[in-house]
Short mmCIF file of all heavy atoms in Angstrom, two decimals:
data_model
loop_
_atom_site.label_atom_id
_atom_site.label_comp_id
_atom_site.label_asym_id
_atom_site.label_seq_id
_atom_site.Cartn_x
_atom_site.Cartn_y
_atom_site.Cartn_z
N LEU P 15 -22.14 28.85 -4.33
CA LEU P 15 -21.55 28.20 -3.17
C LEU P 15 -20.95 26.85 -3.54
O LEU P 15 -19.86 26.49 -3.09
CB LEU P 15 -22.60 28.01 -2.07
CG LEU P 15 -22.96 29.23 -1.23
CD1 LEU P 15 -24.06 28.86 -0.22
CD2 LEU P 15 -21.74 29.78 -0.50
N SER P 16 -21.69 26.09 -4.38
CA SER P 16 -21.19 24.78 -4.81
C SER P 16 -19.91 24.93 -5.61
O SER P 16 -18.96 24.16 -5.44
CB SER P 16 -22.27 24.08 -5.65
OG SER P 16 -21.79 22.85 -6.13
N PHE P 17 -19.87 25.93 -6.50
CA PHE P 17 -18.68 26.15 -7.31
C PHE P 17 -17.49 26.53 -6.45
O PHE P 17 -16.38 26.02 -6.62
CB PHE P 17 -18.96 27.26 -8.33
CG PHE P 17 -17.74 27.71 -9.09
CD1 PHE P 17 -17.21 26.92 -10.10
CD2 PHE P 17 -17.09 28.90 -8.76
CE1 PHE P 17 -16.08 27.32 -10.79
CE2 PHE P 17 -15.97 29.29 -9.43
CZ PHE P 17 -15.45 28.50 -10.46
N MET P 18 -17.73 27.42 -5.47
CA MET P 18 -16.65 27.86 -4.60
C MET P 18 -16.14 26.68 -3.75
O MET P 18 -14.93 26.56 -3.51
CB MET P 18 -17.14 28.99 -3.69
CG MET P 18 -17.43 30.28 -4.44
SD MET P 18 -15.97 30.94 -5.29
CE MET P 18 -14.95 31.37 -3.88
N SER P 19 -17.05 25.82 -3.30
CA SER P 19 -16.65 24.65 -2.50
C SER P 19 -15.77 23.71 -3.32
O SER P 19 -14.75 23.21 -2.85
CB SER P 19 -17.89 23.91 -2.01
OG SER P 19 -17.53 22.74 -1.32
N THR P 20 -16.18 23.47 -4.59
CA THR P 20 -15.39 22.61 -5.48
C THR P 20 -14.03 23.21 -5.75
O THR P 20 -13.00 22.51 -5.73
CB THR P 20 -16.13 22.39 -6.82
OG1 THR P 20 -17.40 21.81 -6.55
CG2 THR P 20 -15.33 21.49 -7.75
N LEU P 21 -13.99 24.51 -5.98
CA LEU P 21 -12.73 25.20 -6.24
C LEU P 21 -11.81 25.12 -5.04
O LEU P 21 -10.60 24.86 -5.18
CB LEU P 21 -13.02 26.67 -6.58
CG LEU P 21 -11.83 27.52 -7.06
CD1 LEU P 21 -11.27 26.96 -8.37
CD2 LEU P 21 -12.24 28.97 -7.22
N LEU P 22 -12.37 25.30 -3.85
CA LEU P 22 -11.56 25.24 -2.63
C LEU P 22 -11.01 23.83 -2.42
O LEU P 22 -9.84 23.67 -2.06
CB LEU P 22 -12.41 25.66 -1.43
CG LEU P 22 -11.69 25.67 -0.07
CD1 LEU P 22 -10.53 26.65 -0.08
CD2 LEU P 22 -12.67 26.04 1.05
N SER P 23 -11.83 22.81 -2.67
CA SER P 23 -11.37 21.42 -2.50
C SER P 23 -10.25 21.11 -3.47
O SER P 23 -9.26 20.47 -3.12
CB SER P 23 -12.54 20.45 -2.74
OG SER P 23 -13.54 20.64 -1.78
N THR P 24 -10.41 21.56 -4.71
CA THR P 24 -9.37 21.34 -5.72
C THR P 24 -8.07 22.03 -5.34
O THR P 24 -6.98 21.48 -5.46
CB THR P 24 -9.83 21.86 -7.09
OG1 THR P 24 -11.04 21.21 -7.44
CG2 THR P 24 -8.78 21.60 -8.16
N TYR P 25 -8.19 23.25 -4.81
CA TYR P 25 -7.00 24.00 -4.39
C TYR P 25 -6.29 23.30 -3.25
O TYR P 25 -5.06 23.16 -3.24
CB TYR P 25 -7.40 25.42 -3.97
CG TYR P 25 -6.28 26.19 -3.32
CD1 TYR P 25 -5.27 26.77 -4.11
CD2 TYR P 25 -6.19 26.31 -1.94
CE1 TYR P 25 -4.23 27.46 -3.51
CE2 TYR P 25 -5.16 26.99 -1.35
CZ TYR P 25 -4.18 27.58 -2.13
OH TYR P 25 -3.16 28.25 -1.55
N CYS P 26 -7.09 22.81 -2.26
CA CYS P 26 -6.49 22.13 -1.11
C CYS P 26 -5.77 20.86 -1.53
O CYS P 26 -4.69 20.55 -1.03
CB CYS P 26 -7.56 21.80 -0.08
SG CYS P 26 -8.21 23.24 0.79
N LEU P 27 -6.35 20.10 -2.47
CA LEU P 27 -5.71 18.88 -2.96
C LEU P 27 -4.42 19.22 -3.68
O LEU P 27 -3.38 18.58 -3.47
CB LEU P 27 -6.66 18.13 -3.90
CG LEU P 27 -6.14 16.84 -4.52
CD1 LEU P 27 -5.79 15.85 -3.40
CD2 LEU P 27 -7.15 16.24 -5.47
N ALA P 28 -4.46 20.24 -4.53
CA ALA P 28 -3.25 20.64 -5.26
C ALA P 28 -2.18 21.12 -4.29
O ALA P 28 -0.99 20.82 -4.46
CB ALA P 28 -3.59 21.74 -6.27
N GLU P 29 -2.60 21.84 -3.25
CA GLU P 29 -1.66 22.34 -2.26
C GLU P 29 -1.01 21.18 -1.52
O GLU P 29 0.18 21.17 -1.26
CB GLU P 29 -2.38 23.27 -1.28
CG GLU P 29 -1.48 23.93 -0.27
CD GLU P 29 -0.54 24.96 -0.87
OE1 GLU P 29 -0.77 25.37 -2.02
OE2 GLU P 29 0.43 25.33 -0.21
N GLN P 30 -1.83 20.15 -1.18
CA GLN P 30 -1.31 18.97 -0.48
C GLN P 30 -0.28 18.28 -1.33
O GLN P 30 0.80 17.91 -0.85
CB GLN P 30 -2.48 18.03 -0.17
CG GLN P 30 -2.04 16.67 0.33
CD GLN P 30 -3.20 15.77 0.68
OE1 GLN P 30 -3.94 16.04 1.61
NE2 GLN P 30 -3.37 14.70 -0.06
N GLU P 31 -0.60 18.08 -2.61
CA GLU P 31 0.30 17.34 -3.48
C GLU P 31 1.58 18.13 -3.79
O GLU P 31 2.63 17.55 -4.01
CB GLU P 31 -0.42 16.95 -4.77
CG GLU P 31 -1.57 15.96 -4.52
CD GLU P 31 -2.22 15.51 -5.80
OE1 GLU P 31 -1.93 16.14 -6.85
OE2 GLU P 31 -3.01 14.56 -5.78
N SER P 32 1.47 19.46 -3.82
CA SER P 32 2.62 20.27 -4.19
C SER P 32 3.72 20.24 -3.14
O SER P 32 4.85 20.60 -3.40
CB SER P 32 2.17 21.71 -4.45
OG SER P 32 1.75 22.32 -3.24
N THR P 33 3.38 19.81 -1.92
CA THR P 33 4.38 19.81 -0.86
C THR P 33 5.28 18.58 -0.91
O THR P 33 6.29 18.54 -0.24
CB THR P 33 3.70 19.85 0.52
OG1 THR P 33 2.85 18.71 0.66
CG2 THR P 33 2.87 21.11 0.67
N ALA P 34 4.91 17.56 -1.69
CA ALA P 34 5.72 16.36 -1.81
C ALA P 34 6.33 16.33 -3.21
O ALA P 34 5.62 16.44 -4.21
CB ALA P 34 4.86 15.12 -1.59
N ALA P 35 7.65 16.19 -3.27
CA ALA P 35 8.34 16.22 -4.56
C ALA P 35 7.90 15.05 -5.44
O ALA P 35 7.78 13.91 -4.98
CB ALA P 35 9.85 16.16 -4.33
N LEU P 36 7.67 15.33 -6.70
CA LEU P 36 7.26 14.32 -7.66
C LEU P 36 8.50 13.62 -8.22
O LEU P 36 9.36 14.27 -8.82
CB LEU P 36 6.45 14.94 -8.79
CG LEU P 36 5.82 13.98 -9.80
CD1 LEU P 36 4.77 13.10 -9.12
CD2 LEU P 36 5.17 14.77 -10.94
N LEU P 37 8.59 12.31 -8.00
CA LEU P 37 9.74 11.54 -8.47
C LEU P 37 9.53 11.04 -9.89
O LEU P 37 8.44 10.57 -10.24
CB LEU P 37 9.99 10.33 -7.57
CG LEU P 37 10.50 10.59 -6.16
CD1 LEU P 37 10.67 9.26 -5.43
CD2 LEU P 37 11.83 11.35 -6.17
N ASP P 38 10.56 11.09 -10.69
CA ASP P 38 10.54 10.49 -12.01
C ASP P 38 11.03 9.05 -11.90
O ASP P 38 11.64 8.67 -10.90
CB ASP P 38 11.43 11.28 -12.97
CG ASP P 38 11.11 10.98 -14.43
OD1 ASP P 38 10.14 10.23 -14.69
OD2 ASP P 38 11.85 11.46 -15.30
N PHE P 39 10.77 8.25 -12.91
CA PHE P 39 11.17 6.84 -12.88
C PHE P 39 11.32 6.32 -14.30
O PHE P 39 10.86 6.93 -15.27
CB PHE P 39 10.14 6.00 -12.12
CG PHE P 39 8.76 6.01 -12.75
CD1 PHE P 39 8.39 5.09 -13.71
CD2 PHE P 39 7.83 6.96 -12.35
CE1 PHE P 39 7.12 5.09 -14.28
CE2 PHE P 39 6.55 7.00 -12.92
CZ PHE P 39 6.22 6.06 -13.88
N GLU P 40 12.00 5.17 -14.41
CA GLU P 40 12.07 4.47 -15.69
C GLU P 40 11.56 3.05 -15.50
O GLU P 40 11.75 2.44 -14.45
CB GLU P 40 13.50 4.45 -16.24
CG GLU P 40 14.52 3.79 -15.34
CD GLU P 40 15.90 3.74 -15.97
OE1 GLU P 40 15.99 3.48 -17.17
OE2 GLU P 40 16.89 3.96 -15.23
N ILE P 41 10.90 2.52 -16.52
CA ILE P 41 10.40 1.16 -16.48
C ILE P 41 11.48 0.23 -17.02
O ILE P 41 11.85 0.30 -18.20
CB ILE P 41 9.11 1.02 -17.31
CG1 ILE P 41 8.02 1.94 -16.77
CG2 ILE P 41 8.62 -0.44 -17.30
CD1 ILE P 41 6.74 1.96 -17.59
N LEU P 42 12.02 -0.61 -16.15
CA LEU P 42 13.09 -1.51 -16.55
C LEU P 42 12.54 -2.78 -17.21
O LEU P 42 13.16 -3.31 -18.14
CB LEU P 42 13.93 -1.92 -15.32
CG LEU P 42 14.60 -0.79 -14.54
CD1 LEU P 42 15.37 -1.37 -13.36
CD2 LEU P 42 15.53 0.03 -15.44
N GLU P 43 11.41 -3.26 -16.71
CA GLU P 43 10.83 -4.50 -17.23
C GLU P 43 9.31 -4.43 -17.13
O GLU P 43 8.77 -3.78 -16.23
CB GLU P 43 11.31 -5.73 -16.46
CG GLU P 43 12.74 -6.12 -16.66
CD GLU P 43 13.08 -7.41 -15.92
OE1 GLU P 43 12.18 -8.29 -15.78
OE2 GLU P 43 14.22 -7.53 -15.46
N THR P 44 8.67 -5.15 -18.03
CA THR P 44 7.24 -5.42 -17.92
C THR P 44 7.08 -6.93 -18.03
O THR P 44 7.61 -7.54 -18.96
CB THR P 44 6.44 -4.73 -19.04
OG1 THR P 44 6.65 -3.31 -18.95
CG2 THR P 44 4.96 -5.02 -18.91
N ALA P 45 6.37 -7.53 -17.10
CA ALA P 45 6.23 -8.99 -17.08
C ALA P 45 4.78 -9.36 -16.73
O ALA P 45 3.96 -8.50 -16.38
CB ALA P 45 7.20 -9.61 -16.07
N SER P 46 4.47 -10.64 -16.82
CA SER P 46 3.12 -11.11 -16.54
C SER P 46 2.88 -11.23 -15.04
O SER P 46 3.81 -11.38 -14.25
CB SER P 46 2.88 -12.46 -17.21
OG SER P 46 3.76 -13.43 -16.69
N HIS P 47 1.63 -11.14 -14.67
CA HIS P 47 1.19 -11.27 -13.28
C HIS P 47 -0.13 -12.05 -13.30
O HIS P 47 -0.89 -11.97 -14.26
CB HIS P 47 1.00 -9.89 -12.65
CG HIS P 47 0.47 -9.93 -11.24
ND1 HIS P 47 -0.81 -9.54 -10.91
CD2 HIS P 47 1.05 -10.31 -10.07
CE1 HIS P 47 -0.99 -9.67 -9.61
NE2 HIS P 47 0.13 -10.13 -9.08
N ASP P 48 -0.40 -12.80 -12.25
CA ASP P 48 -1.62 -13.58 -12.18
C ASP P 48 -2.84 -12.66 -12.16
O ASP P 48 -3.09 -11.96 -11.17
CB ASP P 48 -1.59 -14.45 -10.90
CG ASP P 48 -2.82 -15.32 -10.76
OD1 ASP P 48 -3.70 -15.30 -11.65
OD2 ASP P 48 -2.91 -16.04 -9.74
N LYS P 49 -3.60 -12.67 -13.24
CA LYS P 49 -4.75 -11.76 -13.36
C LYS P 49 -5.91 -12.15 -12.45
O LYS P 49 -6.88 -11.39 -12.32
CB LYS P 49 -5.23 -11.72 -14.81
CG LYS P 49 -5.78 -13.02 -15.34
CD LYS P 49 -6.20 -12.89 -16.79
CE LYS P 49 -6.75 -14.21 -17.34
NZ LYS P 49 -7.15 -14.07 -18.76
N LEU P 50 -5.83 -13.31 -11.79
CA LEU P 50 -6.88 -13.72 -10.85
C LEU P 50 -6.53 -13.36 -9.42
O LEU P 50 -7.33 -13.55 -8.51
CB LEU P 50 -7.12 -15.23 -10.96
CG LEU P 50 -7.60 -15.74 -12.32
CD1 LEU P 50 -7.79 -17.24 -12.28
CD2 LEU P 50 -8.88 -15.05 -12.76
N SER P 51 -5.32 -12.85 -9.21
CA SER P 51 -4.88 -12.50 -7.86
C SER P 51 -5.39 -11.11 -7.48
O SER P 51 -5.09 -10.12 -8.14
CB SER P 51 -3.36 -12.53 -7.77
OG SER P 51 -2.94 -12.16 -6.47
N PHE P 52 -6.14 -11.06 -6.38
CA PHE P 52 -6.62 -9.80 -5.83
C PHE P 52 -5.56 -9.30 -4.86
O PHE P 52 -5.70 -9.33 -3.64
CB PHE P 52 -7.96 -10.03 -5.11
CG PHE P 52 -8.78 -8.78 -4.91
CD1 PHE P 52 -9.38 -8.15 -5.97
CD2 PHE P 52 -8.94 -8.26 -3.64
CE1 PHE P 52 -10.15 -7.00 -5.78
CE2 PHE P 52 -9.70 -7.13 -3.43
CZ PHE P 52 -10.30 -6.49 -4.51
N THR P 53 -4.45 -8.83 -5.43
CA THR P 53 -3.22 -8.58 -4.68
C THR P 53 -3.42 -7.60 -3.53
O THR P 53 -3.95 -6.51 -3.70
CB THR P 53 -2.13 -8.04 -5.63
OG1 THR P 53 -1.99 -8.94 -6.72
CG2 THR P 53 -0.80 -7.88 -4.92
N GLN P 54 -2.95 -8.02 -2.34
CA GLN P 54 -3.04 -7.19 -1.15
C GLN P 54 -1.65 -6.88 -0.59
O GLN P 54 -1.35 -5.73 -0.28
CB GLN P 54 -3.88 -7.90 -0.08
CG GLN P 54 -5.29 -8.26 -0.52
CD GLN P 54 -6.21 -7.06 -0.58
OE1 GLN P 54 -5.79 -5.92 -0.76
NE2 GLN P 54 -7.48 -7.30 -0.40
N GLY P 55 -0.83 -7.90 -0.42
CA GLY P 55 0.54 -7.72 0.05
C GLY P 55 1.51 -8.35 -0.93
O GLY P 55 1.17 -9.35 -1.60
N TRP P 56 2.72 -7.79 -1.00
CA TRP P 56 3.70 -8.25 -1.98
C TRP P 56 5.07 -7.90 -1.44
O TRP P 56 5.37 -6.73 -1.18
CB TRP P 56 3.46 -7.55 -3.31
CG TRP P 56 3.74 -8.36 -4.53
CD1 TRP P 56 3.73 -9.71 -4.66
CD2 TRP P 56 4.07 -7.85 -5.83
NE1 TRP P 56 4.01 -10.08 -5.96
CE2 TRP P 56 4.22 -8.95 -6.69
CE3 TRP P 56 4.23 -6.56 -6.33
CZ2 TRP P 56 4.55 -8.81 -8.04
CZ3 TRP P 56 4.56 -6.42 -7.67
CH2 TRP P 56 4.70 -7.54 -8.52
N GLU P 57 5.95 -8.91 -1.25
CA GLU P 57 7.26 -8.61 -0.67
C GLU P 57 8.29 -9.63 -1.11
O GLU P 57 8.01 -10.84 -1.17
CB GLU P 57 7.16 -8.58 0.86
CG GLU P 57 8.46 -8.16 1.53
CD GLU P 57 8.27 -7.76 2.97
OE1 GLU P 57 7.25 -7.13 3.29
OE2 GLU P 57 9.14 -8.09 3.80
N ILE P 58 9.50 -9.15 -1.39
CA ILE P 58 10.63 -9.98 -1.77
C ILE P 58 11.51 -10.20 -0.55
O ILE P 58 11.84 -9.26 0.17
CB ILE P 58 11.46 -9.31 -2.89
CG1 ILE P 58 10.62 -9.15 -4.15
CG2 ILE P 58 12.73 -10.13 -3.19
CD1 ILE P 58 11.23 -8.22 -5.19
N SER P 59 11.89 -11.48 -0.31
CA SER P 59 12.75 -11.79 0.84
C SER P 59 13.50 -13.08 0.58
O SER P 59 12.88 -14.12 0.27
CB SER P 59 11.90 -11.92 2.11
OG SER P 59 12.69 -12.25 3.22
N ASP P 60 14.83 -13.02 0.67
CA ASP P 60 15.70 -14.22 0.61
C ASP P 60 15.40 -15.12 -0.58
O ASP P 60 15.26 -16.34 -0.44
CB ASP P 60 15.58 -15.02 1.91
CG ASP P 60 16.16 -14.27 3.10
OD1 ASP P 60 17.08 -13.46 2.89
OD2 ASP P 60 15.69 -14.50 4.23
N GLY P 61 15.32 -14.54 -1.76
CA GLY P 61 15.16 -15.34 -2.98
C GLY P 61 13.74 -15.78 -3.26
O GLY P 61 13.51 -16.63 -4.14
N PHE P 62 12.77 -15.22 -2.55
CA PHE P 62 11.37 -15.54 -2.80
C PHE P 62 10.54 -14.26 -2.82
O PHE P 62 10.93 -13.25 -2.25
CB PHE P 62 10.81 -16.48 -1.72
CG PHE P 62 11.44 -17.85 -1.74
CD1 PHE P 62 12.50 -18.14 -0.88
CD2 PHE P 62 10.98 -18.83 -2.60
CE1 PHE P 62 13.09 -19.40 -0.88
CE2 PHE P 62 11.57 -20.09 -2.61
CZ PHE P 62 12.62 -20.37 -1.77
N ILE P 63 9.40 -14.35 -3.50
CA ILE P 63 8.45 -13.24 -3.46
C ILE P 63 7.14 -13.80 -2.90
O ILE P 63 6.65 -14.85 -3.34
CB ILE P 63 8.25 -12.59 -4.84
CG1 ILE P 63 7.37 -11.34 -4.72
CG2 ILE P 63 7.74 -13.56 -5.88
CD1 ILE P 63 7.42 -10.42 -5.93
N TYR P 64 6.62 -13.12 -1.88
CA TYR P 64 5.42 -13.56 -1.19
C TYR P 64 4.27 -12.64 -1.60
O TYR P 64 4.42 -11.42 -1.66
CB TYR P 64 5.61 -13.52 0.32
CG TYR P 64 6.71 -14.42 0.82
CD1 TYR P 64 8.04 -14.00 0.85
CD2 TYR P 64 6.42 -15.71 1.24
CE1 TYR P 64 9.05 -14.83 1.30
CE2 TYR P 64 7.43 -16.57 1.70
CZ TYR P 64 8.74 -16.11 1.72
OH TYR P 64 9.75 -16.94 2.17
N GLU P 65 3.11 -13.23 -1.86
CA GLU P 65 1.95 -12.46 -2.29
C GLU P 65 0.71 -12.95 -1.57
O GLU P 65 0.49 -14.16 -1.45
CB GLU P 65 1.76 -12.58 -3.80
CG GLU P 65 0.56 -11.81 -4.33
CD GLU P 65 0.49 -11.80 -5.86
OE1 GLU P 65 1.29 -12.52 -6.49
OE2 GLU P 65 -0.35 -11.07 -6.40
N SER P 66 -0.09 -12.01 -1.07
CA SER P 66 -1.38 -12.36 -0.48
C SER P 66 -2.47 -11.83 -1.39
O SER P 66 -2.37 -10.76 -1.97
CB SER P 66 -1.52 -11.77 0.92
OG SER P 66 -1.26 -10.37 0.94
N SER P 67 -3.53 -12.63 -1.51
CA SER P 67 -4.67 -12.29 -2.37
C SER P 67 -5.93 -12.32 -1.53
O SER P 67 -6.16 -13.27 -0.76
CB SER P 67 -4.77 -13.28 -3.53
OG SER P 67 -5.93 -13.04 -4.31
N GLY P 68 -6.76 -11.29 -1.64
CA GLY P 68 -7.94 -11.16 -0.79
C GLY P 68 -9.22 -11.69 -1.40
O GLY P 68 -9.26 -12.16 -2.53
N GLY P 69 -10.28 -11.59 -0.60
CA GLY P 69 -11.61 -12.04 -1.02
C GLY P 69 -12.11 -13.14 -0.11
O GLY P 69 -11.38 -14.07 0.20
N TYR P 70 -13.35 -13.02 0.34
CA TYR P 70 -13.94 -14.07 1.17
C TYR P 70 -14.17 -15.32 0.33
O TYR P 70 -14.72 -15.27 -0.76
CB TYR P 70 -15.26 -13.60 1.78
CG TYR P 70 -15.08 -12.57 2.87
CD1 TYR P 70 -15.54 -11.26 2.71
CD2 TYR P 70 -14.44 -12.90 4.06
CE1 TYR P 70 -15.37 -10.31 3.71
CE2 TYR P 70 -14.27 -11.96 5.06
CZ TYR P 70 -14.73 -10.67 4.88
OH TYR P 70 -14.55 -9.74 5.88
#
Side-chain angles (χ1 to χ4, degrees):
L15 282 178
S16 177
F17 172 76
M18 291 300 293
S19 176
T20 302
L21 187 63
L22 181 61
S23 297
T24 303
Y25 171 79
C26 289
L27 179 60
E29 185 69 15
Q30 170 178 293
E31 294 184 348
S32 68
T33 60
L36 186 64
L37 290 179
D38 198 5
F39 61 89
E40 59 177 320
I41 300 175
L42 301 180
E43 289 184 33
T44 300
S46 63
H47 177 251
D48 181 2
K49 64 181 180 181
L50 299 180
S51 178
F52 199 70
T53 306
Q54 303 285 27
W56 214 26
E57 185 164 322
I58 297 166
S59 178
D60 292 332
F62 293 96
I63 186 164
Y64 299 86
E65 180 172 7
S66 53
S67 175
Y70 288 114

